[in-house]
Amino acid sequence: MGESASNLEQESFIGSIDQGTTSTRFLIFNKAGEPVVTHQIEFKQYYPEPGWHEHDPIEIIKSVEICIEEGTKAFEKQGHPISSIKAVGITNQRETTVVWDQETGEPLHNAIVWTDTRNQALIRKIKARLGSDKLQELCGLPLSTYPSVGKLLWMIENVPKVADAYARGKLAFGTVDAWLVYKLNGGPNKNVFVTDPTNASRSMFMNIHTLKYDEAILDFFRFDMNKIHLPKIVCSSDPEAYGSLAAGILKGVRIAGCLGDQSAALVGQKGFSPGRAKNTYGTGCFLLYHVGDKPVISTHGLLTTVAYDFGDGPQYALEGSIAVGGSSIKFLQNNLGFIKSSSEISPLAETVPDNGGVVFVTAFSGLFAPYWIDDARGTLFGITQHTQKGHIARATLEATCFQTKAILDAMEKDSGKALAELAVDGGMTNSDLCMQTQADLTGIPVERPRMLETTALGAAIAAGFAVGVWKSFDELRNINTAGTRIFEPKISKEDRDKKFKRWEQAVEMCRGWAQ
């Protein structure tokens, strides 16, 4: 008994805060990369008007604090001492924009979520400015409703409290990671105000080549830099820069790593070498392709983003972002009442042998990569008296798979290389039908690990590197390899091309509905 207790004491663990779009989780990983504890809380989504999507920043930080408390208590009940948690990493929904008073730390408005499209008219006006076509070359992102900049500009123009703070020079802007680090360190008392390059690259303020805020970009958006406070950009893995938890059960434990959720998933899938790719099927769906230590600026509708920066120079990725992934299943559940839980989607889809001619373009907030059609809206095609719920369920799963295929085609054009296999994670990958459909439509094997918590694992890896729990990528090679399932394509190229042609026709027909 004494020996096993001693072994527990000697073991090192890393905590991981996974702050997502619909829920917050806290996981604790052992050195083998296995989660020993998970605690999750769903929080309220606010939709004040069509196309608007908000979160309460106070609710977000409270959900994080509760998850840390409850998760750590469960960890202690297993017999582990709190002192064996060597650091905490953070991964977060990106682009979601939080603004607060720099002096008091009080939020000035609800956070505007990455899916929100209220700034559509504003973005169109900005696109008409001279020089807008040069932005992507500097920051890696095309002008759209998606990055943080449009959300921030909208608040300065339309929210009196935000406009007032800006006029007084007291407006602090951050993505969710910066807000969490700031609050977990105690807010204005310590004023730890930082972000990492994977998150900063989603704002449109950072030069993708230098990893510094770019004066030319800030001038283009007409920001007065004397009136706004931006978080300092630091490495994704750092033992000091992110401070430590100021209160609660893990008081004093260092925050040592931070990665935007999609970069975290690439790290968690061990995408450390150029040519590796992963697709995360969460609320949205995000495909990242590691391109190496130099950014590749897309000419086929993709984004250029930072994969990670662990202190020895940034690594870059091409990214395809799909606005609606798992949220389309929630739509069938909550809005249409087709199912009672997300796990019922596959059994419902399997009540029919195919989609019965139904195509569902799930463009609830426009279409992201590689199409970038902001005035598209969700559209169902091919409905007849033969159509049943199962056909629509199947078409819903297929919508994400078709968009993934379109992104892979664009990545092949940008990189000059065809992808040999696709690593996957996220909630939708629990559906064997969805993963088989994905393999069929892309024509390449789809690789699903047994442990799907790769996003949280990525944040743990970033923090673990900073405090020496892991020292090299080689140590991580065998993490999360047992129980991997490979889905091989089962349909012909002719069949695949025919299905994709029908999808592309539907995409063209869903334009213009939001005008």
Side-chain angles (χ1 to χ4, degrees):
M1 179 71 187
E3 189 181 332
S4 65
S6 164
N7 286 341
L8 281 175
E9 278 180 20
Q10 288 164 5
E11 204 172 347
S12 293
F13 296 87
I14 296 285
S16 181
I17 296 163
D18 182 357
Q19 205 299 298
T21 309
T22 58
S23 72
T24 296
R25 295 177 313 147
F26 182 67
L27 298 89
I28 299 172
F29 289 91
N30 62 20
K31 202 174 174 183
E34 298 159 339
V36 297
V37 159
T38 304
H39 193 83
Q40 177 170 355
I41 295 175
E42 292 200 350
F43 55 90
K44 191 172 178 183
Q45 308 294 312
Y46 298 88
Y47 303 101
E49 293 187 31
W52 294 30
H53 188 182
E54 296 178 1
H55 291 156
D56 179 346
I58 298 297
E59 229 173 295
I60 286 177
I61 190 66
K62 280 185 176 164
S63 71
V64 168
E65 289 166 348
I66 292 166
C67 284
I68 290 171
E69 292 291 312
E70 296 305 316
T72 307
K73 282 177 189 169
F75 180 72
E76 280 189 294
K77 277 183 185 164
Q78 292 177 5
H80 303 289
I82 289 179
S83 60
S84 62
I85 300 174
K86 301 304 178 189
V88 169
I90 293 175
T91 182
N92 58 284
Q93 51 169 321
R94 303 168 306 168
E95 295 93 18
T96 297
T97 301
V98 190
V99 287
W100 63 94
D101 186 299
Q102 186 253 347
E103 285 184 330
T104 66
E106 290 304 307
L108 298 167
H109 190 263
N110 272 352
I112 296 186
V113 181
W114 59 272
T115 53
D116 189 286
T117 58
R118 74 184 69 185
N119 58 28
Q120 203 172 320
L122 177 65
I123 294 299
R124 284 202 187 135
K125 248 188 342 191
I126 293 171
K127 273 184 181 174
R129 283 184 199 164
L130 192 67
S132 65
D133 57 335
K134 304 285 192 295
L135 288 171
Q136 188 164 359
E137 188 64 45
L138 289 172
C139 69
L141 308 182
L143 257 176
S144 75
T145 60
Y146 182 32
S148 307
V149 63
K151 304 174 198 308
L152 176 60
L153 286 168
W154 186 91
M155 284 193 273
I156 291 170
E157 282 190 15
N158 294 280
V159 181
K161 277 172 81 173
V162 177
D164 175 62
Y166 181 65
R168 292 185 293 112
K170 302 300 177 191
L171 178 62
F173 153 83
T175 39
V176 168
D177 59 304
W179 171 246
L180 293 182
V181 170
Y182 175 76
K183 292 298 279 185
L184 290 171
N185 272 277
N189 295 337
K190 285 192 183 167
N191 198 30
V192 179
F193 187 36
V194 294
T195 188
D196 95 298
T198 69
N199 280 295
S201 69
R202 315 303 295 187
S203 64
M204 286 195 91
F205 301 146
M206 187 188 84
N207 185 304
I208 198 76
H209 307 275
T210 65
L211 304 197
K212 290 181 167 54
Y213 292 122
D214 191 290
E215 280 188 32
I217 297 173
L218 293 162
D219 285 348
F220 174 84
F221 289 116
R222 299 174 187 169
F223 284 109
D224 181 342
M225 294 315 295
N226 295 314
K227 294 181 175 178
I228 190 163
H229 299 263
L230 303 180
K232 182 183 177 186
I233 302 168
V234 298
C235 286
S236 312
S237 177
D238 191 299
E240 305 297 335
Y242 296 100
S244 59
L245 294 155
I249 198 165
L250 292 185
K251 183 177 179 179
V253 173
R254 281 183 284 179
I255 303 167
C258 181
L259 291 162
D261 51 8
Q262 303 315 319
S263 291
L266 183 67
V267 170
Q269 288 274 23
K270 297 167 292 180
F272 300 127
S273 52
R276 289 282 294 168
K278 70 88 204 171
N279 202 16
T280 297
Y281 300 74
T283 303
C285 193
F286 300 89
L287 205 158
L288 260 67
Y289 177 82
H290 187 166
V291 296
D293 59 5
K294 289 187 173 54
V296 173
I297 304 298
S298 175
T299 54
H300 296 93
L302 303 178
L303 312 177
T304 305
T305 199
V306 179
Y308 55 86
D309 180 2
F310 288 165
D312 47 5
Q315 295 293 301
Y316 293 95
L318 280 170
E319 176 175 335
S321 311
I322 299 169
V324 174
S327 56
S328 61
I329 297 167
K330 287 288 184 190
F331 174 78
L332 295 191
Q333 177 186 330
N334 299 332
N335 298 45
L336 301 186
F338 278 23
I339 50 179
K340 288 193 170 66
S341 77
S342 300
S343 60
E344 295 174 14
I345 186 74
S346 282
L348 177 58
E350 284 165 345
T351 60
V352 292
D354 54 40
N355 64 21
V358 174
V359 176
F360 188 7
V361 183
T362 51
F364 302 149
S365 50
L367 283 171
F368 284 8
Y371 305 107
W372 298 107
I373 309 171
D374 62 5
D375 60 5
R377 285 298 176 265
T379 320
L380 268 168
F381 296 95
I383 294 175
T384 67
Q385 286 183 312
H386 166 72
T387 302
Q388 298 169 37
K389 287 179 180 178
H391 295 118
I392 293 171
R394 198 173 268 262
T396 303
L397 292 176
E398 288 174 354
T400 299
C401 298
F402 277 125
Q403 288 174 84
T404 299
K405 150 86 173 148
I407 288 169
L408 281 174
D409 289 351
M411 283 184 173
E412 186 176 337
K413 289 171 188 164
D414 275 331
S415 67
K417 298 181 187 119
L419 199 64
E421 63 180 16
L422 182 64
V424 299
D425 55 73
M428 284 178 79
T429 62
N430 287 308
S431 165
D432 289 357
L433 173 63
C434 186
M435 293 302 96
Q436 185 57 55
T437 302
Q438 189 67 86
D440 289 344
L441 292 178
T442 56
I444 58 173
V446 169
E447 184 185 303
R448 181 180 69 191
R450 179 181 56 82
M451 197 281 290
L452 294 173
E453 303 291 359
T454 54
T455 303
L457 176 59
I461 288 170
F465 272 146
V467 297
V469 169
W470 298 288
K471 293 181 175 66
S472 71
F473 292 143
D474 284 345
E475 280 184 73
L476 299 164
R477 189 161 286 157
N478 296 320
I479 279 181
N480 201 22
T481 50
T484 296
R485 178 166 174 190
I486 311 284
F487 295 86
E488 297 282 353
K490 289 182 177 174
I491 66 172
S492 68
K493 183 180 184 306
E494 185 185 28
D495 223 4
R496 183 183 315 125
D497 291 346
K498 186 177 169 187
K499 288 173 187 283
F500 190 61
K501 188 177 177 187
R502 173 62 66 93
W503 164 261
E504 295 275 88
Q505 181 188 357
V507 166
E508 285 306 307
M509 292 171 71
C510 77
R511 290 176 182 270
W513 287 103
Q515 285 182 348

